[in-house]
Each structure stands twice: as structure tokens, then as C-alpha cells.
Amino acid sequence: MKKRPYRIHHKQPPQKTRDFESIEETLMKLQKPGPKGSDYRERSLKIHGLLCAKCGREFDEKTRHLLTVHHKDGNHLNNPPDGSNWENLCVYCHDDEHSRELLGNYLRDQKE
Ligand SMILES: [Zn+2]
Ligand SMILES: [Zn+2]
């Protein structure tokens, strides 16, 4: 009786069919400490919620990247832990807010 050589069959791990990140991976990335001071965004989103302060649009975990933190006094170094200098604005409103500021300053400068 012939003995078959014993072979170890390496079972391939099941292929991942999803090409998007798992929630765990996304969370890990979000929790990674960024450059100094950049964590205020997460804090602001936590304090004020996933909501644009201007247009009232609501965001969820999938669209939260469209929410940005606006500094009410324009000073990015002023980050009080109670969030009083932060405003959550969607990218569109944030853009609008700043172009208006620039325009406002421009018009004011023209007058003076
Ligand atoms: Zn908005
Ligand atoms: Zn801003």
C-alpha cells in the first residue's frame, strides 16, 4: 500500500470582498493623535454635535469629514476646552463664512 506524502494544505484566508475600511480601522485612524492642537476638531464635534451651526445640515459618521471647525475669533490657537470659540460648519458654510469676512474687511478698509 502506497503511502501518500503528507501535505499541509495552507488554507487561504477568506478574501475580503469589501474594499472599504472597517469601522475599527476608521476609528483607529481618527484616534491617532494628529499634529499638536489638531484634536480640537474632534472635541468640537463632540461638544457641538455633527451639525452645521449655520445651515443646520446634519452629518453622520460617513459624512463627518464635511464638517469643519470654525474659530469664532479667527484665532486658531485659541482653543478653550469648553468649545466656546468653536463653531461646527460644513465646508460650504465655512467657505462662505471666510469669504464674507474677507469681503467685509475689504469693504471696511475701503471706507476708512
Ligand atoms: Zn452648513
Ligand atoms: Zn473658519
Side-chain angles (χ1 to χ4, degrees):
M1 194 170 144
K2 260 197 226 166
K3 247 192 178 175
R4 280 199 177 169
Y6 183 67
R7 268 218 206 140
I8 298 165
H9 289 276
H10 291 280
K11 235 185 171 181
Q12 289 284 325
Q15 291 284 317
K16 271 187 189 172
T17 47
R18 299 175 312 152
D19 57 356
F20 50 86
E21 292 174 331
S22 71
I23 291 164
E24 285 83 1
E25 279 171 309
T26 310
L27 282 177
M28 284 233 312
K29 271 186 201 169
L30 289 173
Q31 279 160 6
K32 236 188 237 174
K36 204 183 165 197
S38 73
D39 63 326
Y40 65 75
R41 180 171 180 272
E42 284 305 315
R43 276 189 279 149
S44 180
L45 293 184
K46 227 171 247 172
I47 292 169
H48 300 296
L50 298 174
L51 185 79
C52 175
K54 221 171 175 190
C55 68
R57 208 172 138 186
E58 283 181 51
F59 296 83
D60 56 29
E61 292 305 313
K62 276 180 203 154
T63 52
R64 72 208 307 284
H65 61 279
L66 294 172
L67 258 187
T68 57
V69 175
H70 172 64
H71 289 77
K72 289 182 184 176
D73 69 353
N75 181 5
H76 285 216
L77 299 173
N78 183 14
N79 295 307
D82 64 349
S84 55
N85 191 36
W86 300 326
E87 205 168 37
N88 293 346
L89 295 178
C90 72
V91 285
Y92 313 106
C93 290
H94 202 166
D95 230 41
D96 191 53
E97 186 77 13
H98 280 270
S99 53
R100 204 171 299 197
E101 270 169 30
L102 288 175
L103 188 67
N105 290 341
Y106 176 75
L107 293 174
R108 202 166 47 226
D109 287 349
Q110 292 283 301
K111 265 189 211 161
E112 282 165 6

